Every structure is written in structure tokens, then in C-alpha cells.
Amino acid sequence: FYHFTDRRGLLAAVFSEALRPLFAFKNDLDPAAARGLDDVRVVLEEYAVAMRAFLDDALEVLIAAHGDAAVRDEVGAVVTANDFGPHRGVAAMTQYFDGLRESGVVGSDVDTHAAAFLMVSATFLRSAQPTLFGHSTGTPPMPEVIDGVLRLLGAGAVSR
């Protein structure tokens, strides 16, 4: 604790470390590398793994923080100061899907923001629901989620 100056410093360090897999994933996103939806499937599978790794480390901290008003406020301050949150994942995935659309891998009429939101939200819910409610009832397996996102992205796609 004393290595980080205060609780806020410790929380920032915990989040920064937990976010490593997602930052690495985001830095490797390259829509130009995709030749078709099979390549996009691999990217979405890798995203699901990176997101799960992050949530395995950070979700318990977020949940525990809400049990103490002071800690909750400090977590909120760290999240706000570093612009952490699912909106960053949605923005990165939207940018990736937009690149796919520009290169013709994804249909020109696809709502890339909605597809990104669905992917990020589904990945979050698959991790959060068992932690929050003790079960995964009603959540489809990740391969089915990815299939659905790919069907949405493939609407009107042009083959290269």
C-alpha cells in the first residue's frame, strides 16, 4: 500500500495492471490484416479472452468498492481521471469495424457502433453475471455471440 502513496494510487495501479491484456489487444488491432470474416472471428475471439482476463482481475475490485462509500468514490475518481470504462472498448471496436467497412470486409450499411456495443456488452455480461448473480442462465456461449456479431457485420459485405 505504501508503495503507491495512497489508496487512490493503489487502485490506479491495480486497474493499470488489469488493463494490460486489453491495451495489448487494442494496440494490435489492424483492420488491414483482415481478409474476410474468418479473420475477424479470430480477432473477436482474442478480444473475448483479453476482456475475460481483465474482468477476472478487476471486476471483484469494482464490486467490492461499492460496499464502502469512500473506496467507491476513490475508484470513481481513478476511473474518471484515467477515462477507464467500457466506452473505450466500444470506441476501439467501432474504429476496428469502421476500418473493416472501409476496406470492404464489412458491409457499407452496417452500424459498426451497434455491432461494437453488442460485442463489448455481451463479453462483459458473460463475466459479470456469474459474479453478480451466481449463475450464467440465459447467456449464450461466446461462440454464438461472435456468430451473431459476424452475421451483423457480414450484411452486405463485399468479398475481396
Side-chain angles (χ1 to χ4, degrees), residues 3-26:
H3 293 289
F4 302 100
T5 310
D6 57 16
R7 189 167 31 200
R8 190 172 291 181
L10 174 61
L11 291 168
V14 167
F15 278 106
S16 292
E17 182 61 28
L19 283 164
R20 277 177 179 245
L22 287 177
F23 286 149
F25 172 82
K26 182 183 177 219

Side-chain angles (χ1 to χ4, degrees), residues 9-103:
L10 174 61
L11 291 168
V14 167
F15 278 106
S16 292
E17 182 61 28
L19 283 164
R20 277 177 179 245
L22 287 177
F23 286 149
F25 172 82
K26 182 183 177 219
N27 291 338
D28 291 342
L29 273 180
D30 181 11
R35 298 289 172 230
L37 291 180
D38 287 339
D39 294 334
V40 178
R41 174 183 299 283
V42 171
V43 169
L44 297 181
E45 289 168 348
E46 291 170 354
Y47 169 76
V49 169
M51 180 66 128
R52 184 64 185 244
F54 163 68
L55 289 171
D56 284 350
D57 290 340
L59 192 58
E60 295 289 340
V61 173
L62 288 169
I63 292 168
H66 285 276
D68 179 308
V71 176
R72 180 181 58 239
D73 291 346
E74 288 187 45
V75 168
V78 168
V79 168
T80 300
N82 293 284
D83 194 32
F84 293 153
H87 64 284
R88 290 182 72 175
V90 173
M93 195 63 67
T94 299
Q95 184 176 9
Y96 174 69
F97 291 161
D98 284 345
L100 294 173
R101 183 173 53 198
E102 290 169 14
S103 66

